[in-house]
Amino acid sequence: MPRREAEEDQLTTQPWAGCRSAQGTNLKGQIIMGASMLIATIAFPAESAEPPNFDRGRQLLEKIEDPSLFTFDEHEAELEELLPDLDSESGLVDEDGEVLIEYARRAGLVVINKLEEALDSRETTFLTVANYRLYISGGPSNGGSPTNATQAIWDAYKLPESVLVGMGFIPDYELPLSRANSRGASTPLTDTDVVDAIALGLGTSPDWSGATLAWIADTIGKVRNHPGGRDPREYREEFDEEHTIDPLDDSFLATYVNEGTGEVGEEENED
């Protein structure tokens, strides 16, 4: 992916980069902080019972038939760097400038091997945020890769996305983590799972009835206080305490608060 500084100066997260920066990021997962600090990260579900499945990635790599799924910036230069033992006269690209799939796969295998080594090395650490485990490597630099592990993580984003996901990694982690990208029934339910379930349930039901509200309430109760059979005022008070926000102060949430509940609360405040 080409280098590009982020257009925004504030703290930013780019899903393809897996990075945060006080000054900017680029598409290779590099953080630019005063042009002296470069950091690369890659995300994995924190609750996963299994580690990244690198063997699965190697198997999927062999099934890739389209070399355009690899996102090398400069095909020949990068492949020569990843495959230093190649004959200097080897033709790495076809007449249309596309990388030959044989060499793309071999380079991809090197990328996976280096990523596995990197995540197990002292050059890499990790932190857990919002159910993501973010593997991190980096350091001061004048523009090059500060550590081998940093380069290995950047290179991982050049793999086909299906391979990266097959190993368990999450390329786009601006999105809320859900069971779909957590790979397991043992993964705790999230808000995203519940919204997906409600949307699917309503969308596939030809008729809605009173029973519809019951199962929606039961589904919501998996990640929130169950909204059924409750005093409306108590429920709103609990919501305020849990989320430290009055829903009436939020332009979106306010439209969903029963007007009667709001009026009762206002009357009590006046008394």
Side-chain angles (χ1 to χ4, degrees):
M1 300 180 185
R3 273 179 191 261
R4 178 178 69 83
E5 292 191 8
E7 297 176 355
E8 301 173 335
D9 290 333
Q10 67 266 33
L11 189 64
T12 302
T13 301
Q14 299 291 358
W16 50 80
C19 301
R20 291 182 179 271
S21 170
Q23 305 223 351
T25 63
N26 65 18
L27 297 184
K28 288 182 69 175
Q30 300 173 346
I31 291 184
I32 304 170
M33 300 176 66
S36 62
M37 178 69 76
L38 295 176
I39 300 175
T41 69
I42 192 165
F44 189 80
E47 298 294 335
S48 176
E50 301 293 334
N53 193 336
F54 296 103
D55 286 339
R56 170 70 171 160
R58 295 181 183 100
Q59 293 169 1
L60 291 173
L61 197 62
E62 292 302 314
K63 299 179 181 179
I64 298 296
E65 300 291 343
D66 183 358
S68 68
L69 296 176
F70 295 83
T71 55
F72 297 109
D73 296 333
E74 300 176 5
H75 297 161
E76 293 187 78
E78 292 185 55
L79 262 64
E80 288 176 357
E81 184 175 347
L82 289 167
L83 304 171
D85 296 332
L86 281 179
D87 187 323
S88 59
E89 297 183 359
S90 297
L92 301 178
V93 298
D94 60 22
E95 57 186 15
D96 297 322
E98 289 287 346
V99 178
L100 296 174
I101 190 62
E102 172 192 352
Y103 296 118
R105 287 175 182 158
R106 289 175 60 182
L109 183 60
V110 172
V111 168
I112 292 175
N113 292 342
K114 288 188 175 182
L115 180 63
E116 183 174 18
E117 294 174 3
L119 299 192
D120 193 42
S121 75
R122 293 185 177 182
E123 293 181 351
T124 302
T125 186
F126 71 86
L127 56 86
T128 302
V129 179
N131 289 328
Y132 290 106
R133 179 187 300 155
L134 297 181
Y135 291 98
I136 305 170
S137 185
S141 172
N142 292 322
S145 173
T147 68
N148 291 332
T150 304
Q151 187 64 53
I153 293 174
W154 289 338
D155 286 345
Y157 290 93
K158 299 170 184 175
L159 292 169
E161 184 170 321
S162 61
V163 174
L164 204 57
V165 172
M167 292 188 288
F169 296 106
I170 307 167
D172 184 355
Y173 54 88
E174 277 192 340
L175 300 176
L177 190 64
S178 71
R179 289 159 68 88
N181 54 25
S182 297
R183 301 184 309 124
S186 62
T187 303
L189 288 173
T190 68
D191 295 1
T192 303
D193 295 314
V194 169
V195 172
D196 288 344
I198 292 174
L200 187 62
L202 292 176
T204 58
S205 298
D207 299 304
W208 298 352
S209 64
T212 301
L213 287 178
W215 70 254
I216 289 177
D218 289 342
T219 305
I220 291 173
K222 296 181 184 298
V223 292
R224 293 286 189 276
N225 291 333
H226 195 291
R230 304 290 306 282
D231 181 292
R233 289 169 297 180
E234 290 182 359
Y235 193 84
R236 179 184 158 188
E237 289 172 0
E238 289 180 5
F239 186 97
D240 293 356
E241 293 175 359
E242 182 177 356
H243 300 280
T244 64
I245 180 176
D246 185 338
L248 294 180
D249 292 336
D250 184 283
S251 60
F252 175 74
L253 294 178
T255 62
Y256 295 90
V257 177
N258 185 281
E259 293 182 1
T261 304
E263 291 171 0
V264 171
E266 292 168 3
E267 290 173 2
E268 289 181 347
N269 289 335
E270 290 175 1
D271 293 340

